[in-house]
Amino acid sequence: MMIGFSFIIVSYFLLKTAPFLIQKAWVGVSKDKLNIFAYLFRLLKTIKNLFTDFYVLYYTIYGFAAFMGIFISNFFFAFHLFEAVVRYPLLQTILRSVYDPGKSLILTYMFLQLFNYFFALFAYYFFPEDYEGLCSSVWKCYLTVFDKAFKADGGIGGFLGGSETEIDILRFAYDNIYNIFIMIMILNIVMGIILDTFENLRESEKKFSYDINNICFVCGFDRETLDKATDARNGFLTHIKSDHYMWNYLFYIAYINQKE
């Protein structure tokens, strides 16, 4: 039954979206000369259009996951949980707040790893014994710094051993500089990038929603102006449904294009 419902959902979205994407790839085919390479190019363009469309790709994987869940392992049904992300725009905004600033996050991550390598190198040469055998090489020391710093309270200083009765100035500086620069500053920079992107996306969505609900698609006048300009109870709604009905203009444009 599960694979049957999945097949219905996949078929619905493919039938709704695929014809438009295929037609987009074959526009002007009548003007092409009888050239096998031209047809091959359009075929490849069709495949590209299909599998770069989010919904076609998502629901293709959706159906494949249902098939694998039935015949291989129930684990693959877990992919269907992502349907919540597809259904709720707010969750998509959260994902985009990480995806859109990808370049900034990658560069920040590289900067973080540069600091980690510096601290690992410093520890390898000056106090490898505090790492309790986990700093026998620079590479091993680097992996330990990166792994343990985020798992221990207080950064890498919370993981390392050392004297509890005496203060080692070098260790004191090492632990606190790492904690301030890595655990506080850089991680807050990452959070700031994500939160700033999320806020910008929310503002864009609010502006888009306001534009749809309060601005005439054709003339650009807002709801307040149109309400004041007419004696009708809902001047704006009357205007966009009668005077400037959006779909009439789009049908007209489609008619002109088809006639040409």
Side-chain angles (χ1 to χ4, degrees):
M1 181 178 289
M2 185 66 184
I3 197 170
F5 283 119
S6 298
F7 177 77
I8 292 173
I9 293 173
V10 172
S11 299
Y12 168 76
F13 278 95
L14 287 178
L15 290 173
K16 185 179 76 170
T17 309
F20 170 75
L21 297 174
I22 294 172
Q23 183 183 18
K24 185 178 178 181
W26 291 87
V27 170
V29 66
S30 58
K31 298 179 182 179
D32 289 346
K33 297 180 179 180
L34 294 176
N35 188 337
I36 189 173
F37 293 105
Y39 283 96
L40 181 61
F41 172 76
R42 289 187 179 274
L43 180 62
L44 293 175
K45 190 176 180 181
T46 301
I47 297 173
K48 174 182 174 294
N49 288 349
L50 287 173
F51 288 98
T52 54
D53 181 82
F54 171 78
Y55 287 101
V56 172
L57 182 61
Y58 170 75
Y59 282 107
T60 300
I61 299 174
Y62 186 96
F64 179 74
F67 178 84
M68 296 293 286
I70 293 292
F71 296 103
I72 304 298
S73 172
N74 291 336
F75 166 78
F76 291 97
F77 286 127
F79 180 81
H80 293 174
L81 296 174
F82 287 104
E83 185 70 13
V85 179
V86 176
R87 296 293 179 184
Y88 294 98
L90 180 60
L91 296 180
Q92 296 176 27
T93 302
I94 293 173
L95 289 179
R96 285 188 59 196
S97 66
V98 178
Y99 176 79
D100 286 359
K103 183 177 179 180
S104 298
L105 291 176
I106 290 173
L107 291 174
T108 306
Y109 176 77
M110 292 172 62
F111 187 59
L112 168 66
Q113 294 305 328
L114 181 65
F115 267 94
N116 271 328
Y117 180 76
F118 172 79
F119 279 94
L121 197 64
F122 191 88
Y124 176 75
Y125 281 105
F126 292 100
F127 37 80
E129 63 281 355
D130 289 353
Y131 277 77
E132 301 176 353
L134 296 176
C135 197
S136 56
S137 66
V138 174
W139 173 245
K140 192 173 182 179
C141 202
Y142 165 77
L143 292 179
T144 302
V145 170
F146 182 62
D147 179 50
K148 302 299 183 182
F150 293 96
K151 295 179 180 178
D153 293 334
I156 193 63
F159 163 75
L160 296 179
S163 175
E164 297 182 357
T165 57
E166 298 180 0
I167 296 179
D168 187 332
I169 299 300
L170 191 61
R171 269 292 309 279
F172 176 83
Y174 179 87
D175 295 350
N176 283 281
I177 291 174
Y178 187 95
N179 192 40
I180 293 170
F181 277 91
I182 304 295
M183 305 304 297
I184 297 177
M185 291 181 61
I186 293 184
L187 292 185
N188 278 316
I189 288 172
V190 171
M191 292 178 61
I193 292 172
I194 294 173
L195 291 174
D196 186 55
T197 305
F198 180 76
E199 183 62 27
N200 290 335
L201 290 172
R202 287 287 302 275
E203 289 297 324
S204 298
E205 289 177 359
K206 288 181 180 179
K207 185 178 179 181
F208 179 74
S209 178
Y210 177 84
D211 189 275
I212 290 176
N213 296 312
N214 296 280
I215 304 294
C216 176
F217 175 77
V218 178
C219 65
F221 286 112
D222 60 17
R223 179 186 291 270
E224 183 179 359
T225 301
L226 293 170
D227 283 342
K228 290 179 178 179
T230 180
D231 295 330
R233 182 177 180 183
N234 293 314
F236 175 76
L237 294 177
T238 303
H239 176 79
I240 64 174
K241 293 294 183 180
S242 301
D243 301 329
H244 284 164
Y245 186 51
M246 175 179 64
W247 295 111
N248 287 342
Y249 284 84
L250 292 178
F251 291 151
Y252 178 70
I253 293 171
Y255 169 75
I256 295 297
N257 290 336
Q258 187 176 11
K259 190 174 181 180
E260 292 177 353

